[in-house]
Amino acid sequence: MTLPQNQSPAEFEYYVNATSIEEACRALGDGVGTILAGGSDLWVQKDEGVKIFGPRLINISRVDELAEISIGNDHVRLGARVTMTDILNHGELGNIAPGLLEAANRFASPQIRNVATVGGNFANASPAADSVIPLICLDAEIELARLDGNAVAIRSIPSADFFTGPGKTVRTDDELITAISFKPRDGKSLARFFKSGPRPALEISIVSLGIAADILDGKLSNVRIALGAVAPIPFRARKTEALIEGQKIDDKLIHAALECLVSEISPIGDVRGSKWYRQHLARTYLQEALTDVA
Amino acid sequence: MNKIIEKEEIVGARIAKLDAPEKVTGRTRYINDMVLPRMLYAKIFRTDRVHAKILKIDVSKAEALPGVHAVITAADTPDGKIGVIKDNPPLKGDKVRCIRDELAAIAADTEEICDAALRLVEVEYEDLEPVFTCEDALKPGAPVIDEERPDNIAMGQNFSHGDISEGEKASDHIVEGAYNVHYVTHCNMGTSCCIADISASGKVTLYSQSQYPYIMKMDLAPALDIHPGDLRIVQPPVGGAFGSKLDVYPNEPICILLAKKTRRPVKLTYSREEEFIVSPTRQPVEFKIRAGMTSDGIFTFREVDSFLNNGGYTSWGATTPYVTMRTCTSHYVVPHVSYSARAVYTNNPFAGSFRGYGNVQATWCVEIHVDKMAEVANLDPIEIRLRNANEPNSITPQGSDLGCIDLVGCINIAAEKSGFLEKWKTNRATWDDGERYKRGIGIATSLHNAGGAKIHKSDGCGTILTMDDYARVTVMTGASDIGQGSDTVIAQIVAQELGVPIRDITIINNDTALGPWDVGVHASRTTYIAGNSAKRAAIDARGQLLSAAEKQSNVTADLLDLRGGYVVQADNGEVVIEIAKLLRQIHFAGEDSTLVMATDYYEPPTEPEDKDHMGDMSAAYSHAAHVAEIVVDTLTGEIRIEKIWSVQDVGKIINLNGLEGQIEGGIAMGIGFGLHENMQIEEGIVKNPSFRDYHLVTAPEMPPIDMTFIETDDHEGPEGAKGIAELPTIVIAPAIGNAFFNATGVWIDHPPLTPEKVARAIWERDNPNLAAE
Ligand SMILES: Cc1cc2nc3c(=O)[nH]c(=O)nc-3n(C[C@H](O)[C@H](O)[C@H](O)COP(=O)(O)OP(=O)(O)OC[C@H]3O[C@@H](n4cnc5c(N)ncnc54)[C@H](O)[C@@H]3O)c2cc1C
């Protein structure tokens, strides 16, 4: 291990202060630009020498289209530049996506929440990214934009397919994340988010767990369980989901679900927690979510 | 009739710290903010090995980089070493002993050029077998860390009093325990920084964060091959020190040597990561304790053996047994005691002094053990402590006169205010109720020096006090204020004697060329020692003023008083003359002209310990009791502190604001130590050198603190005050540890009580056959 040896100050050659999606995509066109949103990952990683800037730094903080939250009847769309504070301050989102609200609430500290964007949280692709977990539970889709000839072309990727490794996604170098969108669940539903840490602020998840499901007659359906920091990418616990799907929630099922979850995840041990503790926390959170339903 | 002025009590009041307005408005110019004309920046090349022979250091490419002004290695530096037993060469030329070792240093136009030059330094090593634990380092044939000490023992202390075998005979129960106290570090908000500036005639000015500027001159000089008298230490405002700046570390001589080589001022600042890896830690200790008692819970003997992981070099960490020893032998009345400590070289980072100075470690060990003994004796934690409490004016096994202490008062008030016993009983009844969340309450107490600590031949402090023509007072004190608020306390004491407003007092304490000598800020000593010196100088100046006033009026000095900027008649407060006017009259009085000036050097009535560790090294002692009430999540292992009760013998309150600030800050630090902070060192390497993974307590987790101050009115302390700064950090962690047992029936012997450790301990109790892997 060596001490930090900072890069020289001349990390990028051009700075683009984009004001529209098109302008940002144009600047990204040759795939050698670095996007700057809130900077709460980017600057830290630059200082640590983990991230090296491309020759063009593209600031998207002035792209107003990216800051919109729109709520339709069966469609919710969060612009990529929506911050955690925006989520917390939005009057309706909390009812529609309580898990997301809880994740934003447990996210970093007020200072960081003011700048940290949901697009940045996805693009950075940390296995511990908090806002990603409840959004995966909502089957969210990631909208990616790029310049195709002279027009902006958009594609949509299911969140569960978006991540490919720590810091890696299916996004190509010329693509901008423009929004995260999801269908709100209607009827009675379960949406919880759990995150480790005795500190109410500034805690990187040792483990996080999100669960969403429709509730009918004590049974859960359309179950989604996602975990952070137990695998190289945000993890969908599909076996456990299947085990719970359509079943009556009782002690026996809870017990089986916890066993299944622990066998399904294989976290690493590191400075933040051992493998045992990560499994133990995952089990604890699922137990709490299911016990509260039963 | 003349104006009447009432007497104002400045001592004991709630006074904002004098530096508060500057600090809260962001105007304070810390050393990190300073820039001198023509200044260069420096950085240190550090090894990435833990134990290796250095075969070759090639700095030629770094030297050739444009913008680099000098590169130095051991080859360019004097042979003198630094550290408590002079075992640390500022730049290492022969071998590397721990991860942070300094091999070369660069001075350049900018920090960025330094960084680029660092990447060009080339080193060839031959790795040596490393050793990381005391146990391994003491094995025959273990790798030798310091060739001058082939047994790997850096320092050792032994003390005994009475006869342990007698104590064993008198015992109905003997309780054994082992407690390992972990690595934590100071986390000063201002990272380490110094600026060296050398005059054409070769005199060195070092802008430094030092807590002991006067002795520092003596410690630095050999490493520079200069006369200590040619060193001047200037201390701009310090962004925290907490004991970490009580020694010379390699950055300071290196910075001076670079300034010497380049003939320009040089500034050397640590990054945060460097601060974590390089600055000293609290001394980790492995304790083994055996202690006996009668069936009534009266202590009969206590035997403590301890090992200190010394790391690669020796700083003050190895001397913490001098304080640890007192707690192990003298906290509570124990007729037969023995204590031993060995500081053992390893290839780990090394420790320095840190608020509490060995007593954080000792109090964890003794206080958790006392609760374990209470369980065996079937007593509650209050009763066992009261039965064994030290009495006022008793003499400890080491020969210290405890003076006007009030341990019994501390315990009783803490128990009463917190409703301890009832909660304690209720909580125990819930151990097996299957509930996820458990409440616990715990108490701990501690004994600490509160009137200096004579570890050098003098434990004194000097003061020079002058008054100008406007009755503004300048107090030059040897005592450094590293943020603890001693400037304000000194100003209060002086303002009280001289009857001038506190804002008319300027404290100068940041330059060894101006101030008279002082040992340094440590051992909770500044209010006591510097306060006494300032008080005596102020009394002298007061006498000069009053006798001048006597000559001007027809009232004798003993009937006069100084209040609100005036000389007044003591009985009715009637103004005699404005002090400023009086000062001008005596200043411009022809041949009799004079100024009011006073000097003082206060030496406390204490003695250094002899070779057998006998001696009364502090002029006062004090206790505190803390009660913590917690809630444990038995599944996640998270502990939330609901409330803390703190009761402390403070002698006499001088500044209520400062006192509360010290208690709160000390408790925050103590909670961090007890619950969260943990330098994870694996094979000599610090794994979590950032605030992301090294968790300090943040504001939202700070519980409400109910504070009670006992005023025992120390006969020697200034205005009756005792030193108060370290106790709050010392006592809280074992109170939390004991509360954890009260909540769960499970002991955790080794701090910190991190969520994982707690969850695992409970899981292992509940699943004895399924031990967590
Ligand atoms: C003190 C601190 C605490 C933190 N705590 C948490 C926490 O509790 N939970 C958590 O999940 N994270 C936490 N983080 C990490 C960080 O705040 C989040 O990941 C945040 O969401 C990143 O968003 P940003 O806008 O700041 O991204 P930036 O730093 O601006 O960008 C991050 C990465 O994403 C890319 N990028 C950004 N926007 C786009 C886009 N629209 N399209 C394509 N690429 C894009 C950037 O090029 C960069 O590589 C913390 C960080 C800090 C410094």
Side-chain angles (χ1 to χ4, degrees), chain A residues 28 33-45 51 60 66 80-81 84 103 106-109 112 115-124 126 128-132 144 171 175-178 195 202-205:
Chain A
L28 261 180
T34 302
I35 300 172
L36 169 66
S40 62
D41 278 318
L42 201 59
W43 294 123
V44 179
Q45 292 168 1
K51 183 104 188 173
I60 57 166
L66 292 177
R81 224 195 81 202
M84 298 304 140
R106 293 294 309 275
F107 200 102
S109 62
I112 300 289
V115 297
T117 63
V118 59
N121 207 220
F122 272 83
N124 186 60
S126 155
D130 285 326
S131 73
V132 165
L144 294 166
R171 183 181 80 86
E175 281 180 315
L176 173 77
I177 299 177
T178 47
K195 171 175 172 175
L202 288 172
E203 196 66 71
I204 308 266
S205 293

Side-chain angles (χ1 to χ4, degrees), chain A residues 1 3-6 9 48 196-200 203-204 271-274 276-277 280-281 283-284 288, chain B residues 46 48 112 115 119 273 277 436 635-636 638 680 687 692-693 695-696 698 700-701 755-756 759-760 763 772:
Chain A
M1 124 132 259
L3 294 171
Q5 302 192 346
N6 297 343
E48 284 179 343
S196 59
R199 292 205 306 195
E203 196 66 71
I204 308 266
V271 285
R272 291 180 201 139
S274 67
W276 174 82
Y277 188 53
H280 179 72
L281 282 178
R283 173 171 48 209
T284 298
E288 184 174 339
Chain B
R46 298 178 186 281
D48 56 359
E112 287 75 15
D115 284 327
R119 290 193 284 268
E273 188 178 10
I277 299 173
R436 172 170 173 180
L635 289 179
T636 62
E638 288 160 17
Q680 301 187 35
K687 293 290 189 183
R692 179 178 55 207
D693 294 319
H695 281 179
L696 291 180
T698 60
E701 309 93 277
E756 171 159 1
R760 192 181 279 265
W763 169 267

Side-chain angles (χ1 to χ4, degrees), chain B residues 108-182:
Chain B
D109 288 325
T110 66
E111 290 202 331
E112 287 75 15
I113 296 172
C114 288
D115 284 327
L118 286 177
R119 290 193 284 268
L120 300 174
V121 175
E122 287 166 8
V123 185
E124 282 172 34
Y125 299 101
E126 179 188 316
D127 280 316
L128 298 169
E129 190 192 337
V131 59
F132 303 111
T133 65
C134 297
E135 195 188 342
D136 286 347
L138 290 175
K139 282 183 185 149
V144 171
I145 312 294
D146 184 336
E147 284 60 35
E148 288 175 33
R149 295 168 185 86
D151 58 0
N152 281 339
I153 294 182
M155 254 187 174
Q157 295 87 353
N158 290 313
F159 176 79
S160 74
H161 174 85
D163 180 347
I164 295 290
S165 62
E166 285 297 312
E168 286 171 346
K169 274 184 225 151
S171 303
D172 296 307
H173 306 287
I174 293 177
V175 182
E176 298 189 21
Y179 304 93
N180 299 343
V181 178
H182 60 298

Side-chain angles (χ1 to χ4, degrees), chain A residues 2-85:
Chain A
T2 45
L3 294 171
Q5 302 192 346
N6 297 343
Q7 294 173 270
S8 83
E11 292 98 354
F12 53 87
E13 290 160 30
Y14 305 99
Y15 176 69
V16 179
N17 204 350
T19 52
S20 68
I21 292 176
E22 193 192 324
E23 195 184 345
C25 288
R26 199 171 295 282
L28 261 180
D30 53 7
V32 295
T34 302
I35 300 172
L36 169 66
S40 62
D41 278 318
L42 201 59
W43 294 123
V44 179
Q45 292 168 1
K46 192 223 86 183
D47 285 347
E48 284 179 343
V50 174
K51 183 104 188 173
I52 295 165
F53 284 163
R56 201 173 300 124
L57 186 66
I58 306 157
N59 188 352
I60 57 166
S61 305
R62 304 276 160 78
V63 184
D64 291 338
E65 313 161 62
L66 292 177
E68 285 163 13
I69 298 179
S70 61
I71 299 183
N73 274 346
D74 60 353
H75 195 71
V76 177
R77 192 169 176 280
L78 309 174
R81 224 195 81 202
V82 165
T83 65
M84 298 304 140
T85 301

Side-chain angles (χ1 to χ4, degrees), chain B residues 189-202:
Chain B
M189 289 298 111
T191 59
S192 297
C193 181
C194 56
I195 301 174
D197 192 15
I198 305 186
S199 74
S201 62

Side-chain angles (χ1 to χ4, degrees), chain B residues 138-391:
Chain B
L138 290 175
K139 282 183 185 149
V144 171
I145 312 294
D146 184 336
E147 284 60 35
E148 288 175 33
R149 295 168 185 86
D151 58 0
N152 281 339
I153 294 182
M155 254 187 174
Q157 295 87 353
N158 290 313
F159 176 79
S160 74
H161 174 85
D163 180 347
I164 295 290
S165 62
E166 285 297 312
E168 286 171 346
K169 274 184 225 151
S171 303
D172 296 307
H173 306 287
I174 293 177
V175 182
E176 298 189 21
Y179 304 93
N180 299 343
V181 178
H182 60 298
Y183 282 96
V184 293
T185 189
H186 308 73
C187 298
N188 302 313
M189 289 298 111
T191 59
S192 297
C193 181
C194 56
I195 301 174
D197 192 15
I198 305 186
S199 74
S201 62
K203 289 190 182 175
V204 178
T205 300
L206 183 70
Y207 298 88
S208 158
Q209 297 157 320
S210 178
Q211 295 177 238
Y212 80 129
Y214 297 91
I215 301 181
M216 183 193 201
K217 299 205 283 187
M218 188 178 79
D219 286 353
L220 247 178
L224 303 169
D225 214 3
I226 64 171
H227 190 277
D230 285 343
L231 264 165
R232 173 177 179 182
I233 313 292
V234 178
Q235 302 151 284
V238 176
F242 304 107
S244 64
K245 305 294 193 300
L246 208 55
D247 201 353
V248 169
Y249 294 107
N251 56 323
E252 285 150 339
I254 286 172
C255 189
I256 296 171
L257 291 167
L258 284 170
K260 200 168 167 187
K261 186 153 182 187
T262 57
R263 297 167 184 267
R264 287 172 65 166
V266 174
K267 179 176 188 174
L268 200 166
T269 312
Y270 285 176
S271 70
R272 177 57 63 190
E273 188 178 10
E274 220 174 1
E275 186 76 14
F276 267 108
I277 299 173
V278 178
S279 65
T281 70
R282 176 172 279 140
Q283 179 64 57
V285 189
E286 298 163 29
F287 289 103
K288 283 199 173 53
I289 177 168
R290 275 177 82 236
M293 62 186 164
T294 66
S295 55
D296 296 334
I298 305 296
F299 295 161
T300 47
F301 77 93
R302 191 188 286 157
E303 191 177 41
V304 177
D305 291 317
S306 59
F307 291 95
L308 290 72
N309 195 319
N310 196 59
Y313 303 96
T314 310
S315 181
W316 287 100
T319 71
T320 53
Y322 289 108
V323 173
T324 308
M325 181 187 300
R326 184 191 310 121
T327 294
C328 290
T329 63
S330 315
H331 186 30
Y332 304 111
V333 180
V334 192
H336 306 282
V337 289
S338 88
Y339 171 83
S340 80
R342 293 285 170 278
V344 185
Y345 280 112
T346 66
N347 296 112
N348 275 359
F350 59 90
S353 70
F354 190 172
R355 194 176 192 176
Y357 207 87
N359 208 357
V360 170
Q361 299 90 315
T363 299
W364 175 271
C365 165
V366 169
E367 287 295 301
I368 299 284
H369 205 65
V370 164
D371 263 35
K372 281 193 188 171
M373 294 176 81
E375 282 295 303
V376 173
N378 226 344
L379 292 173
D380 66 65
I382 305 298
E383 188 58 35
I384 195 166
R385 286 179 171 78
L386 288 174
R387 285 189 190 180
N388 293 287
N390 308 85
E391 291 292 331

